[in-house]
Amino acid sequence: MVRICLCCLLFAVLFTPFVAHCKTAQYWTYEEADSGTEIGNLAQDLKIDPADDPHTSFCFMQQPSSSLIRMRETDGLLTIGERIDREHICGQSPECLITFDVVTFSKEKFQLIHVEVEVKDINDNSPQFPHNESYIEMSESAAVGTRFPLDIAVDQDVGPNYIENYYISFNSHFDIEVRSREDGVKLAELVLAKGLDREKDDSYTLQLSAADGGNPAKSGSVTVHIKVLDFNDNSPVFDHSLLKVELYEDAPVGFLLCKLNAVDLDEGINGDIFYGFNDQVSAEIRQVFQIDPSSGRLLKKGLVDYETKKSYELDIHPYDLGLNSVPAVCKVIVDIVDVNDNAPEISIKPMTSISAGVAYITESAAEDNFVALVSTSDRDLGANGYVQCSLQGHEHFKLQEAYGDSFMIVTTTTLDREKISEYNLTVIAEDLGSPPFKTIKQYTIRISDENDNAPLFSKPVYEVSVLENNVPGSFITTVVARDRDLGQNAKVTYKLIDAEVYGGVPLSTFVSVDAVSGSIYSVRSFNYELIKQIEMTIQASDEGSPQLSTTALIRVKIVDQNDNVPLIMHPILQNGFADVNLPNNAPPGYLALQIKARDADEGMNAELSYRILQDHQMLFTMNKQTGDISLKNGLTYIAGDSLKVIIEVSDNGRHTLSSTATLNFIVTETSPSDEPIVVVLQSRDEEHPQWDISLVFVIMLGGSCVLVLMAIVAVAISCKDNKTGRNYDNKKDLNHRGFETNPFKINSSQKDASIYSGSTLVNGQIARSEEKRGHLETKICMPSSSLNQNPFQSVSSWQEQTRFKLSGIAYTDQMSAKDSGKGESDFNDSDSETSGDGSRRILTTCTPLQNDTFHSRNVSVPNL
């Protein structure tokens, strides 16, 4: 027999879209059944097919203390575990139930099943009397119909297997009458059917048997010995042979139940009445009640409990002191009245628990998820035993009726451990007695962590600064990501997302990150001039399943340090020296030279200042910001004199760096208006996105100068052809004249546009000394005061083999060349810095005729 019922609240059915259900499964079995006997199959009875979900399982909500019933986990098959003795489990209770709760997991859902197994009785016990023999004394004067109580047989079985009837052996004087007490116990009384005559028979022996209603029936018997006594004419007589009294279970000890009264018409000792319990009254009754022998007062002696026993039946008989006294019998039935003396009891069985009083549930549990089973009970009856249960503590949980006085704690919404990790709930059970009793039980529900939170950085972008020239392996910064989960779900590790920087170089060659602490270190020394900022992505991952991660962007700005000295770009230096022409008639304030310098650093480290370190003649002044060198006063020197000035260019860094240069100002007879215009050419190695306007202007001016030079050369050639009779031997007289402004023409192998600087023509593109060296031819032409009288004539003054040392400096626009300055240099001159196949330079001086005579002079050409 199987019965399935749904136990759900009507409110939950009508207003909740998804509710947790409890089902009750009822089975029965006979006691003494063999081990392994099948009782029922929960999967079949509940229409759960394990084939639909291979993870379907059945388990006891709480492991039973005994192994009377076993359950198969896969399909919930219930079988007999150990032999069941109904009398041992339930005693004389009419109904014997073995109850337990089962949780089934199928299709990702837990379901609670309440199982009730009724153990049915079999006739395995025979009726038994307390003694094998029983003795009764009766007076011969006993009237017909007098009743004599007999021993009560005991049968452990119940129902139809309990005692059905009593029998006595055949005789002519006695009959038996069987009746049932209110508690269901059957008893027999011996009834005198015929008068006794002690003189004829002074004793009788009868066989009393008790038989149950089993099939086959079982019986027990006792031998009853009856002794006939001489009679006492009158026996005590009660006013009522049956009394019913009520006794509140909380009545105090000594409480008077009733006062019995019996009358004996005899006199003397035959009329003195005493009261006492019948011999068949049990010891339990004698412990609870007592009767005063002389007064007949029935008092409460011990404690009574309505929940244990609801009524007592007392047989009290009075007797006189006469001989052959025949006692009367008064039956007193004491009904125990229930009072509200028991507080409700609460039992909570969680689905999962590690410690007592604490239930655990995962934060991923859905709404209406079963958490724990709450069972209430009250030993009282009626309104005193009706219990109302409520749950307080948090709205995320509620009570839902399961079955009988049992309730389920279920969730009302989804849970989040990171917001609330523990709930302290209060279960309140209150009966309807007057006054009501209330029981309060605290219960804790802890939320188990799920990996539902990714690590979070304090901010999405970090910006830090690092000085360049740092030591490899130095600390840069630390990033911290925190995970709101617990345990392995909150353990964060860090990882550098590799990328390419600075022309395809892996980012991991610049920085590294500690996987545990998140500290970032440099792998190499940084150079601000090469790379000014490094952007990296750091990934923080937890160790949960599934693994969650997040990233943060770190911008490392390289801070410039003053690690580059200023570089003098103009004039072009050779070993820290440069020669500069200065007109002998330059006026005060004349701009003798403009120093151009550059610093590879930036900011304050690249702000340059200029000053003169040494000027023995105190002739010059220098603008600190622009580097312009000007004359304080007019010159008093003659052509050919040399003025030495040492200058310094320094930056504005914290640790100042500087460069020095020695300038050799050579006084010439050039007029200030003819002073060369210096053009700084751009290096081939440096590329600019667009042309500078000033540079275009200089190139145009240079082109114009080229045209002028070509015109002068043409005139000179014409003068040479027309004035062939001139005297050429006076060239040396020009060596001591102060006319220093000489036209130079420097020809290279490349035919690029040349620039004319005053009277000097400098080739605009000169290959580096390491790459190209060509033959250079230099011509010097000196104009006469009158073209008609002093035509130009080209005169070869000297030739020397030398080479130009070209300074190929990165980021510079100029080149410098320098010879020994000794006139005719040897092939292996130390100042030439080149031996072997150096460039050849041919110098030709053209001087005007003075008194029809050329005067030659030595011309010093600084190396480019």
Side-chain angles (χ1 to χ4, degrees), residues 663-691:
L663 304 177
N664 187 24
F665 288 95
I666 301 174
V667 180
T668 66
E669 292 183 358
T670 309
S671 62
S673 60
D674 296 332
E675 184 62 22
I677 299 173
V678 178
V679 179
V680 180
L681 300 181
Q682 178 177 317
S683 171
R684 292 182 181 182
D685 297 334
E686 183 176 1
E687 295 181 358
H688 292 283
Q690 62 184 6
W691 289 89

mmCIF file of all heavy atoms in Angstrom, residues 663-691:
data_model
loop_
_atom_site.group_PDB
_atom_site.id
_atom_site.type_symbol
_atom_site.label_atom_id
_atom_site.label_comp_id
_atom_site.label_asym_id
_atom_site.label_seq_id
_atom_site.Cartn_x
_atom_site.Cartn_y
_atom_site.Cartn_z
ATOM 1 N N LEU A 663 87.611 79.825 -29.034
ATOM 2 C CA LEU A 663 87.414 80.556 -30.281
ATOM 3 C C LEU A 663 88.631 81.420 -30.562
ATOM 4 O O LEU A 663 89.106 82.173 -29.677
ATOM 5 C CB LEU A 663 86.163 81.425 -30.195
ATOM 6 C CG LEU A 663 84.854 80.694 -29.852
ATOM 7 C CD1 LEU A 663 83.715 81.695 -29.739
ATOM 8 C CD2 LEU A 663 84.551 79.644 -30.893
ATOM 9 N N ASN A 664 89.138 81.295 -31.767
ATOM 10 C CA ASN A 664 90.305 82.086 -32.187
ATOM 11 C C ASN A 664 89.824 83.111 -33.208
ATOM 12 O O ASN A 664 89.591 82.774 -34.381
ATOM 13 C CB ASN A 664 91.364 81.161 -32.785
ATOM 14 C CG ASN A 664 92.652 81.900 -33.087
ATOM 15 O OD1 ASN A 664 92.931 82.932 -32.479
ATOM 16 N ND2 ASN A 664 93.422 81.387 -34.033
ATOM 17 N N PHE A 665 89.618 84.371 -32.757
ATOM 18 C CA PHE A 665 89.181 85.439 -33.638
ATOM 19 C C PHE A 665 90.391 85.993 -34.386
ATOM 20 O O PHE A 665 91.362 86.476 -33.764
ATOM 21 C CB PHE A 665 88.503 86.555 -32.840
ATOM 22 C CG PHE A 665 87.140 86.171 -32.328
ATOM 23 C CD1 PHE A 665 86.967 85.666 -31.048
ATOM 24 C CD2 PHE A 665 86.028 86.313 -33.141
ATOM 25 C CE1 PHE A 665 85.729 85.317 -30.594
ATOM 26 C CE2 PHE A 665 84.778 85.966 -32.677
ATOM 27 C CZ PHE A 665 84.621 85.470 -31.415
ATOM 28 N N ILE A 666 90.356 85.897 -35.704
ATOM 29 C CA ILE A 666 91.448 86.369 -36.554
ATOM 30 C C ILE A 666 91.020 87.696 -37.165
ATOM 31 O O ILE A 666 89.993 87.780 -37.861
ATOM 32 C CB ILE A 666 91.786 85.354 -37.647
ATOM 33 C CG1 ILE A 666 92.180 84.015 -37.007
ATOM 34 C CG2 ILE A 666 92.884 85.864 -38.559
ATOM 35 C CD1 ILE A 666 92.387 82.911 -38.002
ATOM 36 N N VAL A 667 91.792 88.730 -36.910
ATOM 37 C CA VAL A 667 91.484 90.072 -37.404
ATOM 38 C C VAL A 667 91.818 90.144 -38.893
ATOM 39 O O VAL A 667 92.920 89.765 -39.323
ATOM 40 C CB VAL A 667 92.252 91.142 -36.620
ATOM 41 C CG1 VAL A 667 91.917 92.548 -37.136
ATOM 42 C CG2 VAL A 667 91.934 91.028 -35.127
ATOM 43 N N THR A 668 90.838 90.605 -39.657
ATOM 44 C CA THR A 668 91.013 90.749 -41.103
ATOM 45 C C THR A 668 90.681 92.177 -41.490
ATOM 46 O O THR A 668 90.160 92.966 -40.683
ATOM 47 C CB THR A 668 90.103 89.772 -41.843
ATOM 48 O OG1 THR A 668 88.743 90.140 -41.608
ATOM 49 C CG2 THR A 668 90.307 88.330 -41.387
ATOM 50 N N GLU A 669 90.998 92.489 -42.748
ATOM 51 C CA GLU A 669 90.708 93.824 -43.255
ATOM 52 C C GLU A 669 89.324 93.894 -43.897
ATOM 53 O O GLU A 669 88.996 94.843 -44.596
ATOM 54 C CB GLU A 669 91.783 94.238 -44.272
ATOM 55 C CG GLU A 669 93.146 94.454 -43.624
ATOM 56 C CD GLU A 669 94.171 94.931 -44.635
ATOM 57 O OE1 GLU A 669 93.792 95.041 -45.808
ATOM 58 O OE2 GLU A 669 95.306 95.184 -44.247
ATOM 59 N N THR A 670 88.514 92.890 -43.700
ATOM 60 C CA THR A 670 87.168 92.901 -44.262
ATOM 61 C C THR A 670 86.319 93.943 -43.576
ATOM 62 O O THR A 670 86.390 94.122 -42.354
ATOM 63 C CB THR A 670 86.536 91.519 -44.087
ATOM 64 O OG1 THR A 670 87.424 90.542 -44.587
ATOM 65 C CG2 THR A 670 85.207 91.426 -44.827
ATOM 66 N N SER A 671 85.506 94.596 -44.371
ATOM 67 C CA SER A 671 84.611 95.593 -43.781
ATOM 68 C C SER A 671 83.447 94.875 -43.128
ATOM 69 O O SER A 671 83.073 93.758 -43.520
ATOM 70 C CB SER A 671 84.090 96.548 -44.859
ATOM 71 O OG SER A 671 83.341 95.823 -45.813
ATOM 72 N N PRO A 672 82.852 95.496 -42.124
ATOM 73 C CA PRO A 672 81.742 94.828 -41.429
ATOM 74 C C PRO A 672 80.605 94.458 -42.336
ATOM 75 O O PRO A 672 79.936 93.458 -42.135
ATOM 76 C CB PRO A 672 81.316 95.860 -40.386
ATOM 77 C CG PRO A 672 82.523 96.705 -40.160
ATOM 78 C CD PRO A 672 83.227 96.797 -41.487
ATOM 79 N N SER A 673 80.399 95.273 -43.387
ATOM 80 C CA SER A 673 79.270 94.967 -44.272
ATOM 81 C C SER A 673 79.521 93.735 -45.113
ATOM 82 O O SER A 673 78.591 93.130 -45.624
ATOM 83 C CB SER A 673 78.974 96.165 -45.184
ATOM 84 O OG SER A 673 80.122 96.460 -45.991
ATOM 85 N N ASP A 674 80.838 93.413 -45.274
ATOM 86 C CA ASP A 674 81.167 92.229 -46.063
ATOM 87 C C ASP A 674 81.323 90.986 -45.214
ATOM 88 O O ASP A 674 81.832 89.973 -45.691
ATOM 89 C CB ASP A 674 82.465 92.453 -46.846
ATOM 90 C CG ASP A 674 82.312 93.573 -47.854
ATOM 91 O OD1 ASP A 674 81.155 93.751 -48.300
ATOM 92 O OD2 ASP A 674 83.325 94.224 -48.160
ATOM 93 N N GLU A 675 80.962 91.090 -43.970
ATOM 94 C CA GLU A 675 81.132 89.927 -43.081
ATOM 95 C C GLU A 675 80.302 88.753 -43.582
ATOM 96 O O GLU A 675 79.160 88.929 -44.010
ATOM 97 C CB GLU A 675 80.693 90.291 -41.660
ATOM 98 C CG GLU A 675 80.933 89.175 -40.632
ATOM 99 C CD GLU A 675 82.385 88.835 -40.484
ATOM 100 O OE1 GLU A 675 83.241 89.676 -40.820
ATOM 101 O OE2 GLU A 675 82.673 87.722 -40.046
ATOM 102 N N PRO A 676 80.855 87.585 -43.550
ATOM 103 C CA PRO A 676 80.150 86.421 -44.087
ATOM 104 C C PRO A 676 78.821 86.192 -43.384
ATOM 105 O O PRO A 676 78.663 86.450 -42.209
ATOM 106 C CB PRO A 676 81.112 85.264 -43.842
ATOM 107 C CG PRO A 676 82.433 85.910 -43.626
ATOM 108 C CD PRO A 676 82.195 87.252 -43.048
ATOM 109 N N ILE A 677 77.903 85.674 -44.135
ATOM 110 C CA ILE A 677 76.643 85.181 -43.593
ATOM 111 C C ILE A 677 76.780 83.674 -43.438
ATOM 112 O O ILE A 677 77.083 82.969 -44.390
ATOM 113 C CB ILE A 677 75.475 85.501 -44.528
ATOM 114 C CG1 ILE A 677 75.342 87.017 -44.684
ATOM 115 C CG2 ILE A 677 74.184 84.904 -43.999
ATOM 116 C CD1 ILE A 677 74.325 87.414 -45.704
ATOM 117 N N VAL A 678 76.580 83.181 -42.231
ATOM 118 C CA VAL A 678 76.820 81.768 -41.950
ATOM 119 C C VAL A 678 75.535 81.000 -42.183
ATOM 120 O O VAL A 678 74.485 81.363 -41.667
ATOM 121 C CB VAL A 678 77.304 81.574 -40.506
ATOM 122 C CG1 VAL A 678 77.503 80.100 -40.230
ATOM 123 C CG2 VAL A 678 78.598 82.346 -40.295
ATOM 124 N N VAL A 679 75.647 79.972 -42.958
ATOM 125 C CA VAL A 679 74.515 79.100 -43.231
ATOM 126 C C VAL A 679 74.815 77.742 -42.634
ATOM 127 O O VAL A 679 75.858 77.147 -42.933
ATOM 128 C CB VAL A 679 74.253 78.975 -44.743
ATOM 129 C CG1 VAL A 679 73.090 78.036 -44.986
ATOM 130 C CG2 VAL A 679 73.964 80.352 -45.324
ATOM 131 N N VAL A 680 73.899 77.254 -41.808
ATOM 132 C CA VAL A 680 74.067 75.946 -41.177
ATOM 133 C C VAL A 680 73.275 74.930 -41.993
ATOM 134 O O VAL A 680 72.072 75.083 -42.179
ATOM 135 C CB VAL A 680 73.561 75.976 -39.721
ATOM 136 C CG1 VAL A 680 73.749 74.612 -39.095
ATOM 137 C CG2 VAL A 680 74.305 77.041 -38.941
ATOM 138 N N LEU A 681 73.974 73.947 -42.505
ATOM 139 C CA LEU A 681 73.347 72.940 -43.348
ATOM 140 C C LEU A 681 72.876 71.778 -42.510
ATOM 141 O O LEU A 681 73.516 71.407 -41.531
ATOM 142 C CB LEU A 681 74.343 72.462 -44.417
ATOM 143 C CG LEU A 681 74.851 73.562 -45.368
ATOM 144 C CD1 LEU A 681 75.788 72.947 -46.371
ATOM 145 C CD2 LEU A 681 73.709 74.261 -46.054
ATOM 146 N N GLN A 682 71.803 71.196 -42.955
ATOM 147 C CA GLN A 682 71.219 70.056 -42.231
ATOM 148 C C GLN A 682 71.962 68.785 -42.572
ATOM 149 O O GLN A 682 72.321 68.532 -43.715
ATOM 150 C CB GLN A 682 69.750 69.908 -42.593
ATOM 151 C CG GLN A 682 69.078 68.737 -41.924
ATOM 152 C CD GLN A 682 67.625 68.714 -42.273
ATOM 153 O OE1 GLN A 682 66.980 69.736 -42.274
ATOM 154 N NE2 GLN A 682 67.130 67.545 -42.587
ATOM 155 N N SER A 683 72.165 67.956 -41.540
ATOM 156 C CA SER A 683 72.829 66.671 -41.752
ATOM 157 C C SER A 683 71.909 65.742 -42.518
ATOM 158 O O SER A 683 70.695 65.799 -42.412
ATOM 159 C CB SER A 683 73.188 66.040 -40.397
ATOM 160 O OG SER A 683 73.623 64.740 -40.583
ATOM 161 N N ARG A 684 72.533 64.869 -43.280
ATOM 162 C CA ARG A 684 71.746 63.883 -44.024
ATOM 163 C C ARG A 684 71.023 62.893 -43.094
ATOM 164 O O ARG A 684 70.012 62.337 -43.446
ATOM 165 C CB ARG A 684 72.653 63.076 -44.958
ATOM 166 C CG ARG A 684 73.226 63.871 -46.100
ATOM 167 C CD ARG A 684 74.044 62.961 -46.950
ATOM 168 N NE ARG A 684 74.627 63.681 -48.055
ATOM 169 C CZ ARG A 684 75.372 63.095 -48.990
ATOM 170 N NH1 ARG A 684 75.592 61.810 -48.928
ATOM 171 N NH2 ARG A 684 75.882 63.784 -49.971
ATOM 172 N N ASP A 685 71.622 62.716 -41.927
ATOM 173 C CA ASP A 685 71.066 61.702 -41.030
ATOM 174 C C ASP A 685 69.804 62.174 -40.340
ATOM 175 O O ASP A 685 69.084 61.403 -39.747
ATOM 176 C CB ASP A 685 72.094 61.304 -39.972
ATOM 177 C CG ASP A 685 73.310 60.674 -40.611
ATOM 178 O OD1 ASP A 685 73.144 60.126 -41.713
ATOM 179 O OD2 ASP A 685 74.390 60.752 -40.010
ATOM 180 N N GLU A 686 69.539 63.481 -40.375
ATOM 181 C CA GLU A 686 68.374 63.998 -39.654
ATOM 182 C C GLU A 686 67.298 64.388 -40.642
ATOM 183 O O GLU A 686 67.555 65.091 -41.609
ATOM 184 C CB GLU A 686 68.774 65.195 -38.806
ATOM 185 C CG GLU A 686 67.619 65.743 -37.981
ATOM 186 C CD GLU A 686 68.072 66.869 -37.090
ATOM 187 O OE1 GLU A 686 69.252 67.212 -37.140
ATOM 188 O OE2 GLU A 686 67.223 67.384 -36.382
ATOM 189 N N GLU A 687 66.155 63.939 -40.440
ATOM 190 C CA GLU A 687 65.047 64.217 -41.325
ATOM 191 C C GLU A 687 64.059 65.113 -40.619
ATOM 192 O O GLU A 687 63.751 64.928 -39.455
ATOM 193 C CB GLU A 687 64.337 62.918 -41.734
ATOM 194 C CG GLU A 687 65.215 62.006 -42.559
ATOM 195 C CD GLU A 687 64.462 60.753 -42.962
ATOM 196 O OE1 GLU A 687 63.305 60.632 -42.546
ATOM 197 O OE2 GLU A 687 65.039 59.936 -43.666
ATOM 198 N N HIS A 688 63.560 66.118 -41.382
ATOM 199 C CA HIS A 688 62.549 67.014 -40.849
ATOM 200 C C HIS A 688 61.302 66.902 -41.697
ATOM 201 O O HIS A 688 61.383 66.701 -42.909
ATOM 202 C CB HIS A 688 63.034 68.464 -40.843
ATOM 203 C CG HIS A 688 64.150 68.694 -39.863
ATOM 204 N ND1 HIS A 688 63.939 68.811 -38.504
ATOM 205 C CD2 HIS A 688 65.490 68.804 -40.044
ATOM 206 C CE1 HIS A 688 65.085 69.002 -37.895
ATOM 207 N NE2 HIS A 688 66.046 69.002 -38.807
ATOM 208 N N PRO A 689 60.181 67.054 -41.083
ATOM 209 C CA PRO A 689 58.947 66.885 -41.866
ATOM 210 C C PRO A 689 58.710 67.990 -42.869
ATOM 211 O O PRO A 689 57.982 67.808 -43.814
ATOM 212 C CB PRO A 689 57.851 66.861 -40.791
ATOM 213 C CG PRO A 689 58.435 67.600 -39.639
ATOM 214 C CD PRO A 689 59.905 67.306 -39.675
ATOM 215 N N GLN A 690 59.353 69.222 -42.698
ATOM 216 C CA GLN A 690 59.096 70.298 -43.638
ATOM 217 C C GLN A 690 60.286 71.242 -43.658
ATOM 218 O O GLN A 690 61.136 71.213 -42.776
ATOM 219 C CB GLN A 690 57.829 71.043 -43.236
ATOM 220 C CG GLN A 690 57.918 71.705 -41.861
ATOM 221 C CD GLN A 690 56.620 72.352 -41.474
ATOM 222 O OE1 GLN A 690 55.636 72.208 -42.171
ATOM 223 N NE2 GLN A 690 56.627 73.084 -40.392
ATOM 224 N N TRP A 691 60.367 72.043 -44.714
ATOM 225 C CA TRP A 691 61.475 73.008 -44.878
ATOM 226 C C TRP A 691 61.222 74.208 -43.975
ATOM 227 O O TRP A 691 60.128 74.714 -43.862
ATOM 228 C CB TRP A 691 61.582 73.468 -46.332
ATOM 229 C CG TRP A 691 62.089 72.389 -47.251
ATOM 230 C CD1 TRP A 691 61.364 71.473 -47.917
ATOM 231 C CD2 TRP A 691 63.441 72.148 -47.568
ATOM 232 N NE1 TRP A 691 62.156 70.660 -48.643
ATOM 233 C CE2 TRP A 691 63.471 71.059 -48.460
ATOM 234 C CE3 TRP A 691 64.653 72.755 -47.229
ATOM 235 C CZ2 TRP A 691 64.628 70.544 -48.982
ATOM 236 C CZ3 TRP A 691 65.818 72.254 -47.746
ATOM 237 C CH2 TRP A 691 65.811 71.166 -48.613
#
